[in-house]
Amino acid sequence: EILTNCSIQTPPVDLTPENVEDVHHVGGTFLGSSRGGFDMDKILHFIKSKNIKHLYVIGGDGTHRGAFKIHETCMEKGVHIAVAGIPKTIDNDVDHIDRSFGFISAVEAAQAAIRAAKVEASCNLPNGIGIVKLMGRSSGFIAAHATLGSGDVDLCLVPEVPIILDGPTGCLPHLWRRVKKNGYAVVVVAEGAGEELLGESTETDASGNKKLPQIGEYMKKVINEYFKKQGEQATVKYIDPSYMIRSVPANATDALYCMQLAQNAVHGTMAGYTGFSVGLCNNKMCLIPIPELVATSPRQMNPKGRTWERILAVTRQPNTGKFDNKSFRDAESVPVNQKPAA
C-alpha cells in the first residue's frame, strides 16, 4: 500500500537485517499503511526504475485485488516480476484461510476492555451494564472470539445476526433478566452490527468502504430507555478500545505465524510462482491463487455454525440467527456475498 498511495511521497525503505531486527517487538506497521490512491502507471514506473523482481503486497481482499491487477499488467507488458500477497485484516474476513495474522493478538488485547467493562458494571449501582464495541465491519469474528475467550459476556452482537430489541427473543429483556439475576451485565458489540436498526450508510471512505452507524452509542441509549420503561435506572458504561486492540505487539502465536507466512511467500516466488497469496488452510501452509482468495471475500461468520452456537451457550442470549436450519449446516464461515443454499 505504501507504493500505491500517490498523495504521500514516502521514500522506499531498505529492509536490511539490522533495520528489521526488532520490528516484531513493537505494534503497528514498520512500513506504514494508507487507503486508496492506486495508480498503475506510477506503480509500474517504481517497479521498473528500482528493478524490482519480487513484490510482496500485504493487505486484505481489496489490496489483494490490486496486487492481482499489478500481476496481470506486468504479465501483459512483459515485466518479469513475481507478485505475492500476504493476507492482513484485523477483522479476519479473508476467505479460505484459517485466520489472518494479528487476529489472535487483537482478541487477546480485547480482553482488557471486557474486564474493565465487567468491573465498571459490577461496581456501579444500580443495574450496572458495561458495553464494549470492537472492530468488525462486516464480520463479527473478533467480537465472537473475544466473548468466548472472556467468559464474562452476557450479550454478543455481530453483523451476521440481526438485533431484535424487544419481544420473546429481544436482547433488552435478556439483559434485564441477567441484571436482575447477577446485579450487572456485560455487552460486546461489533462495529458493523445493527444496520437493520440504524440503516445502511451511503457515505464511504477513501477505499470505498461504507461508513458505519454508531451502534455502541445506540445500544447505550436504548438500554437506558428500556430500564426507564421498567421503572428503574440503568448505569451504563460504554468502552470503545477501537484501534487499541490492533496496535499492540504481536503475541508469540502471531509472531510465529508471521514468520511462516513470510518464509512461504518467499519460497513461492523463488519457485517461480506469481499472482498468489499465502495462508494457513486447515492448519497447513498453502499457496492460494489470488482470484480464488478474493472471489468469496470478505467472509462472514456462519450464524448456524459451531462458533455462534458456542456464543449462545456462553451468553445464554436468545438466538436471532437469520438463516434457516438447512443453510451452511457444517461450515464455520460463509462468504458475505453468498446467499443461503436452497
Side-chain angles (χ1 to χ4, degrees), residues 27-150:
T29 164
F30 177 74
L31 297 175
S33 181
S34 63
R35 288 191 177 278
F38 187 90
D39 189 318
M40 183 65 74
D41 292 334
K42 290 191 176 183
I43 293 170
L44 283 179
H45 173 73
F46 184 91
I47 290 172
K48 291 177 181 178
S49 64
K50 301 298 181 182
N51 195 29
I52 294 173
K53 298 302 181 185
H54 291 183
L55 178 62
Y56 301 96
V57 184
I58 306 171
D61 58 300
T63 300
H64 272 72
R65 291 185 179 95
F68 196 70
K69 287 181 181 179
I70 296 173
H71 155 75
E72 288 185 311
T73 304
C74 289
M75 293 284 284
E76 291 171 3
K77 296 185 177 297
V79 178
H80 299 292
I81 183 173
V83 180
I86 299 176
K88 176 194 71 71
T89 164
I90 205 65
D91 291 349
N92 199 38
D93 59 359
V94 171
D95 204 10
H96 298 299
I97 63 173
D98 296 351
R99 67 180 187 275
S100 54
F101 73 85
F103 174 71
I104 299 297
S105 298
V107 170
E108 184 178 307
Q111 300 303 307
I114 295 175
R115 286 192 294 268
K118 181 180 179 179
V119 170
E120 288 292 326
S122 60
C123 294
N124 282 278
L125 304 175
N127 302 323
I129 297 176
I131 302 175
V132 178
K133 187 182 80 170
L134 297 176
M135 288 179 145
R137 296 185 61 85
S138 60
S139 57
F141 289 106
I142 289 182
H145 284 257
T147 294
L148 294 175
S150 165

Side-chain angles (χ1 to χ4, degrees), residues 330-341:
D330 299 318
E332 276 297 289
S333 61
V334 296
V336 69
N337 56 353
Q338 183 173 318
K339 298 297 183 182

Side-chain angles (χ1 to χ4, degrees), residues 225-237:
E225 291 174 350
Y226 183 83
F227 273 74
K228 285 181 181 178
K229 287 181 181 178
Q230 311 306 315
E232 296 195 24
Q233 178 184 355
T235 307
V236 185
K237 303 297 183 181

Side-chain angles (χ1 to χ4, degrees), residues 215-297:
I215 183 61
E217 290 90 340
Y218 176 78
M219 288 305 300
K220 179 179 180 179
K221 172 177 169 288
V222 296
I223 289 171
N224 278 318
E225 291 174 350
Y226 183 83
F227 273 74
K228 285 181 181 178
K229 287 181 181 178
Q230 311 306 315
E232 296 195 24
Q233 178 184 355
T235 307
V236 185
K237 303 297 183 181
Y238 175 55
I239 298 174
D240 182 3
S242 188
Y243 298 105
M244 292 174 64
I245 68 170
R246 79 173 188 186
S247 62
V248 297
N251 63 16
T253 299
D254 275 324
L256 172 62
Y257 188 28
C258 287
M259 182 194 72
Q260 294 172 318
L261 290 171
Q263 288 182 348
N264 281 271
V266 173
H267 288 328
T269 55
M270 293 295 288
Y273 293 107
T274 184
F276 71 94
S277 189
V278 294
L280 277 179
C281 299
N282 295 322
N283 209 34
K284 301 290 184 183
M285 193 62 66
C286 299
L287 306 185
I288 310 162
I290 290 179
E292 294 295 324
L293 189 73
V294 303
T296 53
S297 294

Side-chain angles (χ1 to χ4, degrees), residues 148-167:
L148 294 175
S150 165
D152 294 326
V153 179
D154 300 286
L155 177 65
C156 179
L157 304 175
V158 296
E160 294 88 340
V161 178
I163 299 174
I164 297 177
L165 295 177
D166 213 340

